[in-house]
Every structure is written in C-alpha cells, then in structure tokens.
Amino acid sequence: MQRTKVKDLLQGAEVDKEVLLKGWVRTKRGNKFVNFIAVNDGSTINNLQVVADAEKFSEETLKDVTTGAAIAVTGTLVASQGKGQAYEVQASSIEVLGKADPETYPLQKKAHSLEFLREIAHLRFRTNTFGAVFRVRNAMAFAVHKFFNENGFVYVHTPIITASDAEGAGEMFQVTTMDLNNPPRTEDGNINFEEDFFGRSTNLTVSGQMEGEVAAMALSDIYTFGPTFRAENSNTTRHLAEFWMIEPEMAFYDLKMNADLAEEFIKYIIRYALENNREDIEFLAQRQAEEDKSKPQNERQEMTLIEKLEFVVNNDFERITYTEAIDILLNSNHYKKKKFQFDVKWGVDLQSEHERYLVEKHFKKPVIVMDYPKDIKSFYMRQNDDGKTVAAMDILAPGIGEIVGGSQREERMDILIERMKAVGINPDDMWWFLDTRRFGGCPHAGFGLGFERMVQFVTGMGNIRDVIPFPRTPQNAEF
C-alpha cells in the first residue's frame, strides 16, 4: 500500500478507507484499554491521532512506541469521536521502524528554549516551531522563483568561488588548496598564489551581482538565488557567515523602477506564504504573542504577526531620501533625549537603531530610503548630479531594519573608472566588468535581498540563526 501524508489524511481525502501512515511519534497517552498516539511526518504542523486498542497490540510492541520513534501505521481513517481533530486512524497494525530511547531522546514533551534547540539543530526540525519555520522558508523560496518566472526573468547561476570582492568590504573567506604549513612563496617572501589551484587568490563570493550585471547586458532581466559568504566577526541576531541572497539585475531600469520591482517582489512572496502556509504562520503568530507577554510593554509588538504581514502587503511603502531620513532623526525626541547609541549626522551610515526608528516609530511601515552619500556606498553605484550622492536604495522593514539594498548601476565608464581608482580598485583587474560598459552599455539597476532576513520577517523569529537549517557563525560550524 502507498503511504499517505498526514496533511492529506487530515483533509479527509481517504475517509473510511484503509491507509498507510508513516511518521514520528510526538506523544503517546492512554490506559489499559486504548492508546492515543500523535504522529507527525513534517507535511503539516498538525499531528494525526492514531487510536490503538490495547487488545489488538502486544505490550511489547506498544512499549517501543515512544516520543521520537519512527512508526508505520496501517488502519482506517475515520471521523474522530474526540475533540481537537476532525479525523483519526483506527490502527490495525503498527510497526516500529526506528526506536527512540526516552531516557536519552532530547525532545521530550516540554518547552525547550531556542538556545537549547540550536545546540541540537539536527533534531530541531521535529519541533512545531522549526517545522513551521522551514515549511514557510520552503514556500518563500518557491515564491521567489515563481515571481521572477512570471515576470520573464532568466535564472542565472553565478560563481561561488570568485577573484573579485563585489562589495569592497574585504571580509571574505579564502579558497585555497595550498599546504597552509608550507605555502609556496615568491622571491620577496609573499605567498605565491600563482602556485594555487586557480593560479590566483580566490575567495567565497559575497555577492553574485557583478556576474549578474554581465548576464543582464545580454538577457535584459536576470536573477540569482544562491549562497553567499561573509567573514565578518559578528555575533548578532542579524548576521550569518553563510546566507542566501536573491539578486535581480535589470537592463534599462532606473532607480525608481528598481524600487517598484523590489516592493512588488516583497509583497508577492509575503502574500504567497500567507496564502499557502496559513496554519504555520498562525502558529508562529501565537508563539510570538506568547513571547511578547514576557517583555516590557514598550518592547511588545504593536500588531500581531499576521496583521503586520497583511499591512505590508496592502499598503504602499514610504519613500524618502537619505537627507530626509537624517532630518527626521535629528528632529526626533529620541535624538534630543540622547536615546540613540550611534551619532546622527549627514554622511554617516544609518545604523540598525536609526533604521528601526524610521520604520517602527516614525512611519510605522516599510520605508525605502534613496540617494545615499557616495562615500558610504559601493563604487559601482551611479553618481547623482549633485556630486555628493549616489542612486542607491535600502528597504527597511519593521523588526529587523535593512532587508534590501540596491542601486542604479554606474553605466558611464569614465566615472566608474574614476570611482574605482578613488577606492583603491585597479581597473585592469576588472576589465571584464568594464567591458559591459565599453560594448553596448546601458542604464541598468538591481538589488539584493537577504533571504534569511526576509524569512525572519515573515516568521517573526527574533534570531536569524533560527531561520536557516544549520547556521554558520563565528566559532560555530557544527553539523
């Protein structure tokens, strides 16, 4: 007999028929007459109740049906007599496929802290919270591809190993096959990268943007969606060393068109998750509400998770310039009462506390900030006519701050070369990138969306380590 998933059984598709169910035991309770076994196979947040009459099963079989055990159940799906579920399975046979010793299995029926669950990330998928998070993550990843496919974009795979630093940040993981105890050296004592596997110094990528720009100069609208890496020694709730980025690049786009697309895209994937993972998000909303009860009043969410998501989907994002953002911050009571940890003045990069003030206190909605000072942004961003700012944009979201960073790219080769030299990049090393301006260059734009931050926003999880299966952070590469 073919196995039916719990999600399908709970919809009653096989009612009054014999079914085969396989999954893991969440709980077992009962008496000398009957046992009630809650089974989950990960297809839904809801468990399916299996009713096992004691007279049909030996004590030997039932003693191994413990929390965490994998079982196969054959029985009849019937309308449930009890409260809490519409259907249940009257078991005719139970096979224990894999035992779980109740003395050592760490996920017994009790509340576990998220910190503890990070220590057993290989098992946390089995909890309601993480089952919900990763089903939502899956839906959102599918929605990413669906959105771009529906809008005529070409999916391009950009390299994970690269010789360029797209961000100019220098925080990259080096890739080498050299003997680290005895690396080859040049006559002047430096490491001789010509002897390395690629014949030059290479790193794990921080962005697929530059290769994406190359593709967009022929295919018009492209996107990448892949892993990126940053060797930033940061142990915050917002940073990972390995994370996933969505990076579209569009020929013939300006900054406004770029912002319009990013807003449409964000709303699309939130809407898709709400429509297709409602039960999971409702569970996570309840979890967040319970968590809020233990916080001081001023730290609690003003909206429920679902209210926040529906508000974002149904309302236009606020759009302001960086200069307007600075003015708002300088005129705020928060600034006047010295509540900001970091200074506020024109020319500084906005910190998370500034971004969250704009979003959560001032506008109370997502905000798109445009036209940043050129000295705090990357060399490839198009310079504005004022000579001081560039056509950059960041989208700021409630709870986490920056969720999207993008810009219109500098298509004028002379200005791009001048900017490269100003920040210490040798134009000769970027000859292939400059060729996209040299041969048929055109106005173009793009943005990057950190996928984990987007999943954080939709699931309401407070720590980015809880929305990626196996987080990679400083001093942590377990599992």
Side-chain angles (χ1 to χ4, degrees):
M1 187 188 307
Q2 188 170 349
R3 166 195 169 212
T4 307
K5 290 195 173 183
V6 167
K7 183 177 182 179
D8 297 322
L9 291 172
L10 287 172
Q11 293 171 351
E14 304 290 325
V15 70
D16 295 328
K17 294 181 181 177
E18 188 175 60
V19 297
L20 172 61
L21 158 70
K22 295 181 181 181
W24 294 269
V25 176
R26 286 291 177 86
T27 60
K28 184 182 78 170
R29 59 186 175 82
N31 50 46
K32 61 182 180 180
F33 302 109
V34 65
N35 284 270
F36 300 99
I37 306 161
V39 179
N40 191 287
D41 64 0
S43 61
T44 172
I45 197 161
N46 299 304
N47 303 326
L48 181 61
Q49 180 169 280
V50 172
V51 181
D53 290 336
E55 62 186 37
K56 291 184 181 178
F57 300 96
S58 69
E59 192 174 316
E60 189 69 21
T61 298
L62 291 175
K63 77 176 177 60
D64 289 331
V65 179
T66 59
T67 297
I71 64 173
V73 178
T74 304
T76 304
L77 184 72
V78 298
S80 179
Q81 302 300 307
K83 295 179 180 179
Q85 64 278 324
Y87 302 98
E88 62 189 20
V89 171
Q90 296 281 352
S92 55
S93 74
I94 298 175
E95 179 186 0
V96 177
L97 303 175
K99 298 178 184 179
D101 182 355
E103 296 299 317
T104 56
Y105 182 59
L107 288 177
Q108 294 301 319
K109 190 179 185 328
K110 64 176 182 177
H112 298 285
S113 72
L114 296 177
E115 290 77 11
F116 170 71
L117 292 172
R118 279 177 219 132
E119 296 173 8
I120 53 166
H122 60 303
L123 295 174
R124 67 178 180 170
F125 291 95
R126 299 189 187 187
T127 65
N128 280 340
T129 295
F130 286 96
V133 166
F134 291 118
R135 280 188 297 271
V136 172
R137 182 184 170 113
N138 167 70
M140 292 172 65
F142 179 78
V144 168
H145 293 294
K146 192 169 186 288
F147 173 84
F148 286 118
N149 188 60
E150 288 174 2
N151 285 279
F153 280 64
V154 177
Y155 181 30
V156 173
H157 296 111
T158 53
I160 290 173
I161 299 172
T162 180
S164 67
D165 176 1
E167 297 294 325
E171 297 161 335
M172 304 182 78
F173 291 100
Q174 192 151 31
V175 175
T176 183
T177 58
M178 291 189 291
D179 180 355
L180 298 183
N181 294 313
N182 186 29
R185 297 190 180 272
T186 59
E187 290 182 2
D188 56 8
N190 293 321
I191 292 176
N192 185 3
F193 285 103
E194 290 183 2
E195 297 290 318
D196 206 353
F197 185 89
F198 292 107
R200 61 191 302 179
S201 176
T202 54
N203 308 285
L204 295 179
T205 187
V206 298
S207 169
Q209 177 207 314
M210 291 186 170
E211 294 86 353
E213 283 191 53
V214 170
M217 290 300 98
L219 301 171
S220 286
D221 299 329
I222 69 94
Y223 73 105
T224 74
F225 185 6
T228 50
F229 309 84
R230 188 157 296 173
E232 184 177 0
N233 191 16
S234 179
N235 258 313
T236 76
T237 58
R238 300 171 65 244
H239 290 92
L240 292 166
E242 176 186 276
F243 51 99
W244 286 67
M245 285 285 288
I246 301 149
E247 297 176 289
E249 291 288 330
M250 296 77 63
F252 315 113
Y253 266 56
D254 61 18
L255 185 64
K256 181 183 180 302
M257 297 163 71
N258 196 28
D260 290 344
L261 182 79
E263 179 175 344
E264 182 188 354
F265 172 56
I266 288 170
K267 289 179 175 179
Y268 183 98
I269 54 180
I270 293 174
R271 189 181 298 113
Y272 187 89
L274 281 170
E275 291 173 355
N276 291 276
N277 290 75
R278 189 79 184 191
E279 286 184 327
D280 288 321
I281 295 176
E282 285 174 349
F283 171 83
L284 293 167
Q286 184 62 39
R287 184 197 160 279
Q288 186 184 72
E290 290 296 322
E291 198 176 63
D292 259 12
K293 290 178 182 177
S294 63
K295 295 179 180 178
Q297 189 67 40
N298 65 327
E299 293 181 18
R300 295 181 185 180
Q301 306 287 331
E302 292 187 12
M303 298 181 182
T304 68
L305 179 61
I306 290 177
E307 285 172 346
K308 179 186 77 172
L309 296 177
E310 290 180 340
F311 180 82
V312 169
V313 165
N314 295 325
N315 288 276
D316 292 338
F317 292 7
E318 193 70 36
R319 300 190 187 206
I320 59 172
T321 65
Y322 167 89
T323 301
E324 290 169 338
I326 292 295
D327 288 342
I328 290 167
L329 294 169
L330 288 173
N331 288 309
S332 69
N333 286 330
H334 221 69
Y335 176 76
K336 291 170 183 174
K337 292 180 180 178
K338 297 183 169 29
K339 289 186 177 181
F340 288 126
Q341 180 183 348
F342 294 94
D343 194 18
V344 177
K345 62 181 178 181
W346 201 96
V348 302
D349 207 356
L350 296 178
Q351 299 295 320
S352 179
E353 61 176 349
H354 305 142
E355 295 170 342
R356 292 187 64 176
Y357 177 85
L358 291 168
V359 169
E360 296 166 27
K361 303 295 184 188
H362 189 81
F363 290 110
K364 298 184 184 294
K365 66 193 314 193
V367 177
I368 305 178
V369 181
M370 298 182 171
D371 299 328
Y372 282 78
K374 72 176 183 180
D375 292 339
I376 61 171
K377 287 296 183 180
S378 297
F379 72 92
Y380 52 73
M381 297 184 177
R382 195 182 202 278
Q383 290 190 43
N384 291 326
D385 293 340
D386 60 16
K388 298 189 301 180
T389 62
V390 289
M393 66 151 193
D394 286 345
I395 298 183
L396 315 179
I400 49 178
E402 182 194 336
I403 199 166
V404 164
S407 69
Q408 186 173 337
R409 316 309 192 189
E410 183 58 81
E411 85 278 10
R412 299 163 295 186
M413 193 164 74
D414 54 339
I415 296 176
L416 182 59
I417 290 174
E418 182 184 309
R419 186 79 180 119
M420 282 179 168
K421 291 176 178 177
V423 299
I425 295 174
N426 184 350
D428 292 340
D429 293 340
M430 301 291 293
W431 62 272
W432 55 274
F433 186 67
L434 291 171
D435 269 1
T436 60
R437 278 73 174 169
R438 186 177 287 115
F439 306 121
C442 68
H444 60 290
F447 63 83
L449 182 147
F451 187 54
E452 279 73 27
R453 288 193 186 175
M454 192 70 225
V455 178
Q456 255 192 291
F457 183 74
V458 172
T459 60
M461 299 300 286
N463 194 317
I464 200 166
R465 301 175 193 206
D466 296 329
V467 297
I468 191 168
F470 304 104
R472 297 291 181 250
T473 53
Q475 303 299 307
N476 177 37
E478 195 70 75
F479 310 108

